[in-house]
Amino acid sequence: MKKAGILGGGQLGRMLLQSAANYPVETFVMENDLNCPAAHLCHHFTKGDITSFDDVYNFGKGLDVLTIEIESVNEDALEKLEAEGVKIYPKPAALRIIKNKILQKQFYKTNEVPTSDFIITQNAAELGANASFLPAVHKLATGGYDGRGVQVIKKAEDVALGFNAPSVLEKMVHIKKEIAIMIAVSPKGETAIYPPVDMVFDPKLNLLCYQISPADIPEKVFWKAEAIALRVVKELKSPGIFAVELFVDIDDNVLVNETAPRVHNSGHHTIEGNYSSQFDMLWRVLLDYPLGNTDPILPAAIVNLLGSEGFNGPALYEGLNEILTMDNVFVHLYGKTHTKPGRKMGHITILSSEKQELLHKANQILHTLLVKSG
Ligand code: ADP
């Protein structure tokens, strides 16, 4: 049986392990927190720091294949492991590009992948000197996550909001829609592409609020988005699963925002909504089996279950009974015992052939199911 390791033990690792049960594989997880969502679902848990060279190297030695559920891992250790014969999907070279927003934007430019114009700023002074580029979005090169490390700067008086560290200053896109496309790449270079999803964000928390798949976009936009997403993964030259996040602007131009080299929130609906889920698909890649069928079974919506404002402590799920009586509604809790405002505690998938029903149920769930603390 192959030995497969996952760096990071959050909810993505947890859902990946739920799919691992269908395959002949011995699973290993490394994470600092003994009570992380994935800790109790793997065969072997190692407490360790995924950013530490020694911890990652020692964890990966002797494994057949290693993947990640978060980008902030020590890629030097991954490179050494790869040189010693451990399969690392995504490849460390692709991960290095994606981890750094400066390298990622330069990668798009070099490979003629449409993306918003940008300049690189090393510090606050350089940002101040480029006020003519505003309005723009300032993004920290490294260390940002889920909206932290991203700052909108509309006018010269606001430059103090920017970062005094290496960053990308991106032209503000007049966004009509944000969509995402998941693509799997096998070790042989075959690809399997999922239908695009519409992502709707919570403007306050900058977190995904709900999403609908397939996205409601004109055919022309669909073809552009697919071609662009395929180009991104082709140029990254790495097996794995990738989420390509795209902007559709008011003129129907399609621009890449960013790419995640791993299973992703925008693919959670695939657990019930598609024949092969993103988690099932990643096991096929990791274990070098044929890729799965990405076709949708039914259109799907996802609601993120976030910790309610004003509650910080042991999690209580209000409204769960009502949600569990709803047809074609699937609850996924991430096993986090402690809630805090905006924390991702779970997600709910809704299936229906009627878009109106998806939206109606999504709104109902957003208002009924709340994570509080007693
Ligand atoms: P993170 O990696 O933290 O998720 P993103 O780079 O995806 O950050 O940016 C977060 C959000 O900010 C995007 O989903 C989008 O709504 C907005 N945003 C990012 N870049 C731009 C841009 N160039 N123009 C307009 N809005 C943007």
Side-chain angles (χ1 to χ4, degrees):
M1 211 150 58
K2 282 191 182 166
K3 292 179 166 42
I6 305 170
L7 289 170
Q11 64 264 17
L12 297 174
R14 177 185 178 95
M15 288 183 270
L16 192 52
L17 289 164
Q18 285 169 338
S19 276
N22 299 321
Y23 286 97
V25 61
E26 191 178 347
T27 53
F28 296 71
V29 168
M30 187 168 82
E31 166 72 63
N32 245 337
D33 178 4
L34 278 171
N35 287 314
C36 65
H40 309 291
L41 276 79
C42 57
H43 295 108
H44 309 275
F45 181 80
T46 304
K47 186 171 162 14
D49 178 0
I50 58 171
T51 66
S52 144
F53 181 94
D54 289 343
D55 285 5
V56 171
Y57 180 71
N58 290 328
F59 174 72
K61 239 179 359 187
L63 296 181
D64 296 295
V65 62
L66 195 52
T67 194
I68 58 163
E69 62 120 47
I70 184 163
E71 285 87 337
S72 57
V73 297
N74 188 296
E75 70 261 30
D76 293 335
L78 292 181
E79 238 150 40
K80 187 167 161 66
L81 288 165
E82 185 178 52
E84 291 174 5
V86 180
K87 293 190 168 58
I88 316 283
Y89 301 151
K91 281 180 159 290
L95 184 59
R96 227 180 246 289
I97 294 168
I98 288 175
K99 267 184 77 167
N100 183 315
K101 290 204 176 186
I102 295 176
L103 298 181
Q104 198 182 140
K105 283 294 268 191
Q106 287 171 334
F107 163 82
Y108 298 137
K109 196 170 169 187
T110 310
N111 291 293
E112 293 174 0
V113 173
T115 192
S116 58
D117 283 346
F118 66 99
I119 52 177
I120 291 157
T121 59
Q122 296 298 341
N123 49 46
E126 283 191 27
L127 172 60
N130 281 291
S132 60
F133 203 73
L134 304 177
V137 182
H138 205 211
K139 299 184 180 181
L140 268 181
T142 56
Y145 193 69
D146 271 351
R148 292 187 290 272
V150 174
Q151 186 64 53
V152 173
I153 305 182
K154 291 201 174 130
K155 46 190 191 311
E157 300 86 83
D158 296 342
V159 291
L161 296 171
F163 305 107
N164 187 20
S167 302
V168 175
L169 186 65
E170 285 185 22
K171 271 273 181 229
M172 181 85 87
V173 177
H174 203 152
I175 299 173
K176 182 155 83 180
K177 236 172 215 280
E178 298 195 37
I179 60 174
I181 295 187
M182 303 282 318
I183 306 191
V185 183
S186 76
K188 298 178 190 72
E190 295 146 343
T191 53
I193 185 160
Y194 287 91
V197 306
D198 267 331
M199 303 194 289
V200 181
F201 286 88
D202 179 323
K204 220 168 63 211
L205 293 166
N206 214 348
L207 273 178
L208 196 64
C209 189
Y210 63 85
Q211 67 192 30
I212 295 208
S213 177
D216 186 6
I217 46 175
E219 204 169 330
K220 214 174 68 192
V221 172
F222 174 88
W223 292 120
K224 267 194 270 189
E226 267 207 357
I228 291 169
L230 275 164
R231 179 153 186 90
V232 170
V233 298
K234 185 173 158 275
E235 297 301 340
L236 281 172
K237 300 183 172 62
S238 165
I241 194 156
F242 299 86
V244 184
E245 296 184 33
L246 305 140
F247 297 139
V248 182
D249 77 5
I250 45 161
D251 300 316
D252 278 350
N253 295 309
V254 181
L255 304 165
V256 173
N257 174 27
E258 60 176 359
T259 302
R262 53 170 169 80
V263 287
H264 192 257
N265 204 131
S266 63
H268 287 351
H269 63 285
T270 60
I271 297 175
E272 289 92 6
N274 299 65
Y275 290 99
S276 173
S277 76
Q278 61 168 345
F279 303 103
D280 175 71
M281 190 69 93
L282 182 54
W283 284 114
R284 290 165 179 263
V285 172
L286 296 174
L287 304 173
D288 202 3
Y289 288 121
L291 294 180
N293 179 356
T294 57
D295 286 346
I297 298 167
L298 272 179
I302 289 278
V303 177
N304 265 352
L305 183 58
L306 306 178
S308 296
E309 258 336 293
F311 295 92
N312 196 327
L316 288 177
Y317 297 90
E318 189 183 289
L320 198 50
N321 274 304
E322 280 156 271
I323 302 304
L324 289 170
T325 61
M326 292 167 77
D327 282 340
N328 276 338
V329 166
F330 305 90
V331 176
H332 296 263
L333 299 182
Y334 297 156
K336 298 177 184 177
T337 50
H338 193 100
T339 184
K340 47 187 177 190
R343 188 172 193 203
K344 284 185 193 168
M345 301 298 288
H347 74 263
I348 297 94
T349 306
I350 310 150
L351 299 186
S352 173
S353 52
E354 300 296 327
K355 185 166 178 197
Q356 276 315 313
E357 189 184 0
L358 290 178
L359 289 173
H360 176 73
K361 282 188 172 160
N363 275 311
Q364 211 177 339
I365 292 166
L366 272 173
H367 293 106
T368 309
L369 185 56
L370 301 170
V371 193
K372 296 187 173 173
S373 185

